[in-house]
């Protein structure tokens, strides 16, 4: 079946530190891959996505590259800010169905 | 701006009552909407797929008589939690599928249900 695995959190970083949140997936065929962010008390917001192998999604300084050979879609940001503190969900989509990872909580300290 | 809205954003009710949550697509018609449930500090679990004009498709383990879904129009789906109990307390999130050029799903802001 389809599944998404993310690194365990919480992740705590100082402001301006480099961020990596690992995400790997298992899927039949070629899914689209997504990163969603959830701020406290709010719903999910699409952060970035990639629809085919070697595509790079980017938004607000965050990047992730669809790596078919390693079935990965790791999220990176060169310099995090306090406002990036949130829960990040990696997800895949096959057809119209989403499968979400467990989420990784990020705390950025000033 | 938000393209999918949910109402209410928060609701507190007594055990045994029923609660209705609305999900609306604001800028597009959505023949398909999805209902998710999120437990504290957990991921989203798909509960059901709501199709306009037909019965919803429920995921395994989700009680269809407990969680009634009605997709009455191309812009509105409702989830009714019947005879709510404290274990139904959760964060409920809907998404709506825009079958336009990008075939994108948009998520609502969520509804926090607390059953006393």
């Amino acid at each position: 079946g389809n599944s998404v695995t993310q690194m365990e959190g919480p992740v705590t970083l100082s402001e301006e530190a480099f961020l990596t949140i690992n995400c790997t997936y298992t899927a039949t065929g070629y899914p689209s891959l997504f990163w969603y962010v959830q701020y406290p008390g709010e719903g999910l917001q699409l952060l970035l996505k990639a629809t085919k192998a070697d595509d790079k999604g980017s938004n607000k300084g965050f990047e992730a590259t669809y790596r078919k050979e390693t079935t990965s879609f790791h999220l990176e940001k060169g310099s995090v800010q306090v406002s990036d503190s949130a829960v990040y969900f990696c997800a895949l989509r096959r057809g119209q169905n989403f499968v979400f990872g467990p989420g990784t909580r990020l705390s950025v300290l000033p | 701006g938000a393209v999918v809205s949910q109402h209410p954003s928060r609701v507190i009710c007594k055990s045994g009552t029923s609660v209705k949550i609305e999900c609306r697509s604001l800028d597009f018609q959505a023949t398909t909407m999805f209902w998710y449930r999120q437990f504290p500090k957990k991921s989203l679990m798909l509960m059901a797929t709501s199709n306009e004009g037909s019965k919803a498709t429920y995921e395994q383990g989700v009680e269809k008589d407990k969680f009634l879904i009605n997709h009455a129009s191309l812009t509105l789906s409702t989830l009714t939690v019947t005879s709510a109990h404290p274990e139904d307390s959760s964060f409920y999130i809907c998404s709506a599928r825009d079958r336009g050029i990008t075939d994108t799903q948009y998520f609502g802001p969520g509804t926090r249900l607390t059953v006393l």
Side-chain angles (χ1 to χ4, degrees):
Chain A
N2 300 324
S3 65
V4 176
T5 303
Q6 287 178 241
M7 62 187 292
E8 292 287 331
V11 174
T12 303
L13 296 173
S14 298
E15 205 164 23
E16 299 183 2
F18 184 86
L19 169 71
T20 299
I21 301 179
N22 290 337
C23 171
T24 57
Y25 67 91
T26 302
T28 55
Y30 303 100
S32 295
L33 302 175
F34 302 78
W35 277 100
Y36 282 87
V37 58
Q38 185 178 35
Y39 297 100
E42 299 184 10
L44 269 67
Q45 298 179 26
L46 176 65
L47 182 59
L48 53 84
K49 68 177 182 181
T51 58
K52 62 182 187 298
D54 299 325
D55 268 2
K56 177 186 283 188
S58 61
N59 185 26
K60 300 181 181 178
F62 290 90
E63 293 183 340
T65 301
Y66 190 144
R67 300 287 188 200
K68 178 169 168 285
E69 63 276 12
T70 55
T71 61
S72 65
F73 194 54
H74 305 320
L75 181 68
E76 296 182 337
K77 186 173 185 180
S79 176
V80 294
Q81 305 300 312
V82 173
S83 58
D84 294 327
S85 298
V87 180
Y88 292 82
F89 292 94
C90 185
L92 67 82
R93 178 182 168 187
R94 284 284 290 145
Q96 64 179 13
N97 293 326
F98 275 88
V99 175
F100 287 88
T104 302
R105 183 175 299 277
L106 170 66
S107 295
V108 180
L109 306 177
Chain B
V3 295
V4 174
S5 69
Q6 283 186 238
H7 178 79
S9 57
R10 294 176 182 270
V11 56
I12 301 173
C13 68
K14 293 182 178 180
S15 187
T17 61
S18 294
V19 175
K20 180 185 285 188
I21 302 170
E22 294 184 348
C23 176
R24 293 183 185 273
S25 59
L26 302 180
D27 301 318
F28 61 96
Q29 294 182 330
T31 54
T32 306
M33 293 184 173
F34 305 85
W35 287 97
Y36 295 84
R37 182 172 180 177
Q38 185 181 27
F39 292 98
K41 298 184 179 181
K42 298 292 184 183
S43 188
L44 280 72
M45 301 298 295
L46 179 65
M47 298 175 64
T49 301
S50 170
N51 300 297
E52 189 268 339
S54 64
K55 291 184 179 180
T57 303
Y58 290 81
E59 295 300 301
Q60 191 172 9
V62 178
E63 299 176 61
K64 60 181 181 181
D65 295 330
K66 173 75 171 175
F67 299 99
L68 300 179
I69 292 172
N70 183 24
H71 196 150
S73 76
L74 288 172
T75 59
L76 173 64
S77 176
T78 60
L79 168 68
T80 301
V81 183
T82 62
S83 186
H85 288 91
E87 58 266 29
D88 298 324
S89 298
S90 194
F91 196 52
Y92 293 88
I93 299 176
C94 74
S95 72
R97 183 180 182 185
D98 181 358
R99 290 180 184 253
I101 295 175
T102 60
D103 192 11
T104 301
Q105 283 192 35
Y106 298 94
F107 286 82
T111 296
R112 182 162 303 284
L113 169 64
T114 302
V115 184
L116 302 177

